[in-house]
Amino acid sequence: MFVSHLESAIDGTRLPAGTLHTTHEGKPIWVRYDLDHVRANARRESLANRPATMWRYRELMPAPSEDAIVSLGEGMSPLLDCPRLGQAIGAPGLRIKDESQLPTGSFKSRGMSAAITMARALGVTRVALPTAGNAGAAAAAYAARAGMQCAVFMPDDTPIVNRLEPAIFGAKAFLVNGLIGDCGAIVRDGMERFGWFDLSTLKEPYRVEGKKTMGIELAEQMNWRLPDAIFYPTGGGTGLIGMWKAFAELETIGWLEDTKKPRMFACQSTGCAPIVNAFDAGERFATAPEKPATMASGLRVPTAVGDFMILDAVRESGGAAIAATEEDIPRWMALASAKEGVSLCPEAAAALGAIELAIKRGALDKNADIVLYNTGAVQKYVEVMERAVDMPKLDKTNVNWSAIERALG
Ligand SMILES: *Cc1c(COP(=O)(O)O)cnc(C)c1O
């Protein structure tokens, strides 16, 4: 266990490890490690003998012991070459890190494995969160794994699969006739009465630690080198913030062969693009859009508590924040799934559109070595799938062979 302390992200205040924390002055908290100690004690070579989950990076993880870990085998997602898709969008160096294969079908499992592990280790027995997407299923599944009670509050227009998953995974799930902010208010107001610990994005320090393993894993898969650019579908920004933190930690402990860091691209949809607007305006804090609406539910985050952390990472890395056209999401989703067989979620589809835009605008060399994070499985988005496909109907008594011929091309 190498955690040294916790630290406020807004003003650097040092906070003790080993006790429960939420936010500091309403802003997120970093977990800090004694990296000199890690450097002296941890060897890249020992990874080979460890289980294929994100907990193999235990020296850079917060769990107090092996026994404390709550795991469903999350992590070690494949890094896939995508030559056909790359060709189609004019980016031949494209690869996809496919998180759709993780427990509960999204990368939210990484964050929740870490958050539930730490919550249980610090004595929490009941957790709660608002969600309009994949976080509810992941929280419910890991709470079930840990034998904890979980309460989930969702807007009643949450996509159908996301709406059903938390209850199937044993959570007490509720539908609210409002937005995610209204759901968050219910969690806050019920906290004292029901003894809930709030698992909301960046309202506790450990989901970031789980998601940072996306970056460590990428480095390991690339033999401790990093790509030129990372395209990340950004809602609350946990993954982007976490990966940027991971790259700095890896550099400090001396594990990188080449310390050149990737340019981080925060990708959103024109339907909800507060981070892009703040980036373009040169601001460090974002303003909530008036009518946030996108079929990529993971990107529908009008107010991100970690806005300044996302923008700092993007700017430090020499990257950018880019919004892809909302209406084109089903087309990109279908293109990627059909060209490569990757189960691409609408959030990653927006990020794919952002790659095309970045190259078109001259912000990125077309031969760059690019990694796109596919953060979830397309099967969760029944509503968007229906918009993306067009299926001719056939009459069994009078088969229209010319329609079949036309469809086959
Ligand atoms: C939550 C979510 C996102 C956004 O993740 P952050 O790290 O919070 O920005 C992107 N894609 C999918 C599929 C999600 O569920």
Side-chain angles (χ1 to χ4, degrees):
M1 163 84 168
F2 294 88
V3 174
S4 56
H5 63 285
L6 278 66
E7 181 190 308
S8 158
I10 194 73
D11 61 16
T13 303
R14 200 182 164 101
L15 303 160
T19 59
L20 267 187
H21 288 284
T22 52
T23 53
H24 177 79
E25 307 285 347
K27 302 291 185 195
I29 294 173
W30 296 116
V31 179
R32 295 299 185 200
Y33 299 81
D34 181 345
L35 294 175
D36 291 338
H37 202 188
V38 175
R39 190 186 177 107
N41 287 279
R43 295 273 156 276
R44 278 181 344 196
E45 293 68 32
S46 30
L47 295 176
N49 305 319
R50 295 185 184 172
T53 80
M54 68 175 200
W55 293 99
R56 68 206 263 107
Y57 309 114
R58 60 183 175 229
E59 290 89 349
L60 294 175
M61 293 293 282
S65 69
E66 290 285 294
D67 294 345
I69 294 170
V70 182
S71 174
L72 288 163
E74 57 292 316
M76 303 316 282
S77 67
L79 179 62
L80 305 168
D81 289 338
C82 292
R84 263 183 298 278
L85 177 61
Q87 214 68 50
I89 65 156
L94 175 69
R95 277 185 281 189
I96 293 181
K97 181 121 173 90
D98 188 12
E99 298 279 302
S100 70
Q101 304 183 29
L102 264 54
T104 72
S106 92
F107 74 152
K108 288 289 194 296
S109 49
R110 293 183 190 264
M112 288 303 175
S113 175
I116 295 277
T117 291
M118 291 310 293
R120 189 175 69 171
L122 296 171
V124 170
T125 56
R126 285 178 162 193
V127 292
L129 77 163
T131 179
N134 294 310
Y142 284 90
R145 192 77 171 152
M148 267 185 198
Q149 196 188 80
C150 178
V152 177
F153 298 86
M154 296 173 279
D156 55 12
D157 64 349
T158 298
I160 182 73
V161 176
N162 289 152
R163 207 185 309 153
L164 297 173
E165 286 172 311
I168 283 288
F169 286 115
K172 307 296 170 193
F174 302 88
L175 295 176
V176 180
N177 64 341
L179 301 174
I180 182 126
D182 302 305
C183 298
I186 295 177
V187 172
R188 274 195 308 282
D189 295 345
M191 251 154 121
E192 207 167 320
R193 178 161 178 191
F194 299 109
W196 289 328
F197 183 70
D198 185 354
L199 285 179
S200 301
T201 303
L202 289 164
K203 298 260 170 89
E204 58 75 58
Y206 299 105
R207 281 175 66 182
V208 173
E209 295 303 295
K211 281 206 182 167
K212 85 178 182 189
T213 60
M214 285 190 289
I216 309 180
E217 216 172 278
L218 179 68
E220 185 184 359
Q221 285 169 323
M222 293 182 65
N223 297 315
W224 307 103
R225 285 183 175 77
L226 295 167
D228 297 325
I230 286 180
F231 280 73
Y232 182 79
T234 304
T238 333
L240 189 146
I241 293 167
M243 282 195 275
W244 192 242
K245 178 176 191 278
F247 299 149
E249 291 173 351
L250 288 175
E251 180 175 7
T252 308
I253 66 169
W255 281 20
L256 293 178
E257 287 297 319
D258 179 344
T259 55
K260 185 179 71 71
K261 307 282 195 332
R263 298 173 64 200
M264 305 297 287
F265 288 84
C267 310
Q268 300 195 305
S269 154
T270 50
C272 180
I275 299 299
V276 178
N277 296 339
F279 180 80
D280 289 343
E283 303 284 348
R284 192 175 182 223
F285 297 93
T287 311
E290 236 151 66
K291 286 209 172 68
T294 169
M295 57 188 106
S297 47
L299 305 186
R300 195 174 165 198
V301 182
T303 312
V305 261
D307 50 1
F308 63 103
M309 300 156 89
I310 305 171
L311 288 155
D312 287 355
V314 166
R315 290 188 176 117
E316 268 172 42
S317 75
I322 299 181
T325 312
E326 170 70 14
E327 291 69 30
D328 289 333
I329 286 177
R331 178 173 68 79
W332 284 310
M333 198 175 88
L335 181 75
S337 304
K339 287 279 181 204
E340 301 286 357
V342 176
S343 172
L344 199 91
C345 64
E347 291 83 354
L352 189 64
I355 296 176
E356 213 176 36
L357 277 175
I359 292 173
K360 230 179 252 163
R361 291 178 187 168
L364 182 70
D365 184 84
K366 72 170 171 37
N367 292 313
D369 184 8
I370 301 168
V371 173
L372 164 70
Y373 278 79
N374 178 35
T375 45
V378 74
Q379 295 94 320
K380 291 195 168 211
Y381 301 83
V382 178
E383 296 90 342
V384 191
M385 287 167 81
E386 277 183 325
R387 293 170 66 159
V389 299
D390 178 24
M391 251 183 288
K393 294 211 165 48
L394 297 176
D395 177 358
K396 64 184 175 189
T397 58
N398 180 21
V399 175
N400 184 347
W401 288 101
S402 60
I404 297 177
E405 197 173 356
R406 255 198 320 279
L408 296 183

